[in-house]
Amino acid sequence: MKEIELKAALFDLDGVVFNTEPQYTVFWGEQCREFHPEHPGLEQEIKGQTLVQIFDRWFDGELLSRREEVTRRLNDFEASMSYDYVEGLECFVASLHQHGVKTAVVTSSNKPKMESVYRQRPEFRKLFDAVLTSEDFAQSKPSPDCYLKAAARFGAEPNECVVLEDSFNGLRSGRAAGMFVVGLATTNSRESIEGLSDCQISDYKEMNYKILKELWQAI
């Protein structure tokens, strides 16, 4: 049993806080059919990747000039998206706070995207203790940089933190940071994320501080 204290829970945003991944699949499905009709199902392959990663792999060469247009489309889309919490999220975060656990959102989303979130969800600013966006770290997931910086924000060591993630790159980022990783089966199947996470959940309906701490201590 661990003698150390659970100090921080670090949440990805899309697919972990908000159930937005199905909406992104629709958006990227439209872009992929337009720009890469030769690659059916590409929107499934790029799930969890940052915009930079998508552009570097799929919008280079002749499509380089179309990046600005796609970025504008994405910004417009995000401004009108529905930001619905993953079921049970608010109660789970409240349970963590009641036991002194700090919470942060650690996302590859940018500040303009977060402004859209704040407009639709004004209570979001008070829900978490900190929000780190792409502007706050030099390397994107799967680099551990973002989660290590979030831990440092709270003065916590990696083994005192829990990461909650849904995408393959995000799960790898949490693992590389040396943290306990909870996999959300909201974007990918439970089976596909088992090897990248210490435990898997579908939502937060049955999750609270006590259950999380027991899972964390068992590893």
Side-chain angles (χ1 to χ4, degrees), residues 22-23 25 41 45 77 84 87 90-91 95 97-98 109 115-116 129 144 146 154 161 184 190-191 194-195 197 204:
Q23 297 175 77
T25 299
E45 294 183 30
F77 181 79
D84 299 321
E87 198 164 2
E90 291 172 283
C91 289
S95 174
H97 285 161
Q98 287 169 4
S109 298
E115 289 302 321
S116 296
D129 296 301
C146 58
F154 298 132
C161 299
L184 271 290
R190 184 181 292 261
E191 293 73 23
E194 280 182 350
S197 52
Y204 304 103

Side-chain angles (χ1 to χ4, degrees), residues 139-159:
Q139 296 177 298
S140 298
K141 303 168 185 178
S143 165
D145 184 45
C146 58
Y147 282 117
L148 293 174
K149 286 190 174 179
R153 179 78 63 92
F154 298 132
E157 296 297 324
N159 63 350

Side-chain angles (χ1 to χ4, degrees), residues 16 41 45 55 86 167 212:
V16 175
E45 294 183 30
F55 279 170
V86 172
S167 71
L212 177 63

Side-chain angles (χ1 to χ4, degrees), residues 31-44:
Q31 310 314 308
C32 292
R33 284 189 291 274
E34 177 177 348
F35 296 108
H36 285 287
E38 81 289 354
H39 201 116
L42 178 57
E43 66 274 16
Q44 300 296 330

Side-chain angles (χ1 to χ4, degrees), residues 20-100:
T20 47
E21 286 301 335
Q23 297 175 77
Y24 277 114
T25 299
V26 171
F27 172 82
W28 284 111
E30 293 173 351
Q31 310 314 308
C32 292
R33 284 189 291 274
E34 177 177 348
F35 296 108
H36 285 287
E38 81 289 354
H39 201 116
L42 178 57
E43 66 274 16
Q44 300 296 330
E45 294 183 30
I46 63 177
K47 278 186 175 183
Q49 295 184 14
T50 66
L51 186 59
V52 171
Q53 290 167 337
I54 294 170
F55 279 170
D56 285 348
R57 175 66 177 86
W58 298 103
F59 287 83
D60 205 357
E62 294 181 358
L63 291 178
L64 190 64
S65 62
R66 308 302 294 273
R67 290 185 180 187
E68 185 176 343
E69 178 184 353
V70 174
T71 300
R72 185 175 62 253
R73 292 180 184 180
L74 179 59
N75 289 340
D76 291 343
F77 181 79
E78 290 178 336
S80 59
M81 282 175 60
S82 297
Y83 293 100
D84 299 321
Y85 292 120
V86 172
E87 198 164 2
L89 181 277
E90 291 172 283
C91 289
F92 175 50
V93 172
S95 174
L96 294 174
H97 285 161
Q98 287 169 4
H99 290 85

